[in-house]
Amino acid sequence: MENGDRAGAGAGAVGSAGSLGLRVGQAVFSSASLLFMSVGVEFFSYTAFCFLVTIMGLVIPWSCTLAMIDVYSVFVGCPLRVPGVMFIVVVGDWVLSVLSFAAACSSAAVIDLLLEFHGSQCSPRFCGRYQLSAMMAFLSWFLTAASAIFNFWFVASM
Amino acid sequence: MENGDRAGAGAGAVGSAGSLGLRVGQAVFSSASLLFMSVGVEFFSYTAFCFLVTIMGLVIPWSCTLAMIDVYSVFVGCPLRVPGVMFIVVVGDWVLSVLSFAAACSSAAVIDLLLEFHGSQCSPRFCGRYQLSAMMAFLSWFLTAASAIFNFWFVASM
């Protein structure tokens, strides 16, 4: 019973195959968001877009590092579930998930305002890429939040 | 030991004095945000501000209802900690905390853009009130998130 509960609680926690999937998704979506926003588009004149680029630049290394830990745990078979490390992972996940959500919402609000009041200044090519970037940031946030919830649940039931 | 853990986990959960304090704070800050944004200011021309007003209008009744439940629990002494009810409270808290954070971030991003590009259109009187409203929304989000975390922790350790 106790072991069954533990296994259920650890479904998406660090070191499981589910966690590896979430981390890969985060890395892919945040990279896509960063590329759509930064390559060939003038993002630096809007604070919200600079914030988005900064946060996505933080999410990518964080997700890649934890994906490597997951790969090691899944394929070599040494789950790294020390309470101290789990605590750092949970705090990092929460902070990054809050920041990426803030960045995605701010960018979406700015894009909406640009489309409404600056129809002439916001060409479809630019605004379409801004929108794609914000959408990718929302997807990346969603996966980061899922990771944070799974790990928090695991720590709380530890 | 077990009882001590339960009492520790329930520090800010529904039915405690800590929860009552958080709920009163949420109601006060969200009302302040709603009033600063809606009284005497043209908020309806910006999507983000309409969203803020809507969400604050949802947070106020939610916080007031749960504050009444807390008052009943603290002063009459009947903690309403049925698992089904706690689950609804946790889900409601999370949804409202995510939505109020989104509203606060979007409004802050729009205010920043207005100050930067529409210096002439955004009079200090209007923009000052927008800023106060966004600040109050952030404070309301912070307390809602605290409630959500305390209740989630309580449910996870139940």
Side-chain angles (χ1 to χ4, degrees), chain A residues 47 98 101-102 112-113 152-153, chain B residues 47 98 101-102 105 112-113 152-153:
Chain A
T47 318
V98 167
F101 188 57
D112 180 74
L113 198 70
F152 184 69
W153 187 268
Chain B
T47 318
V98 166
F101 187 57
C105 288
D112 181 75
L113 199 69
F152 184 70
W153 187 268

Side-chain angles (χ1 to χ4, degrees), chain B residues 98-144:
Chain B
V98 166
L99 288 176
S100 61
F101 187 57
C105 288
S106 310
S107 304
V110 168
I111 294 164
D112 181 75
L113 199 69
L114 286 178
L115 282 174
E116 202 171 343
F117 290 97
H118 301 265
S120 53
Q121 287 179 35
C122 191
S123 68
R125 183 177 146 256
F126 275 21
C127 265
R129 292 190 63 164
Y130 293 150
Q131 282 171 323
L132 270 175
S133 175
M135 205 178 69
M136 295 294 153
F138 272 113
L139 289 173
S140 164
W141 160 70
F142 189 75
L143 296 181
T144 316

Side-chain angles (χ1 to χ4, degrees), chain A residues 122-142:
Chain A
C122 192
S123 68
R125 184 176 145 256
F126 275 21
C127 266
R129 292 190 61 165
Y130 292 149
Q131 282 172 323
L132 270 175
S133 175
M135 204 178 70
M136 294 294 154
F138 272 114
L139 289 173
S140 164
W141 159 71
F142 188 75

Side-chain angles (χ1 to χ4, degrees), chain B residues 32-112:
Chain B
S33 174
L34 186 66
L35 290 177
F36 276 124
M37 185 58 86
S38 59
V39 177
V41 185
E42 287 170 0
F43 70 90
F44 33 79
S45 35
Y46 303 101
T47 318
F49 296 163
C50 295
F51 182 52
L52 184 75
V53 167
T54 313
I55 299 302
M56 289 300 127
L58 285 172
V59 171
I60 296 170
W62 172 263
S63 297
C64 289
T65 310
L66 284 164
M68 280 189 284
I69 293 176
D70 287 340
V71 165
Y72 188 78
S73 299
V74 169
F75 293 106
V76 181
C78 171
L80 192 82
R81 287 176 175 171
V82 191
V85 174
M86 285 301 291
F87 183 73
I88 295 173
V89 170
V90 168
V91 171
D93 266 340
W94 276 115
V95 170
L96 282 179
S97 114
V98 166
L99 288 176
S100 61
F101 187 57
C105 288
S106 310
S107 304
V110 168
I111 294 164
D112 181 75

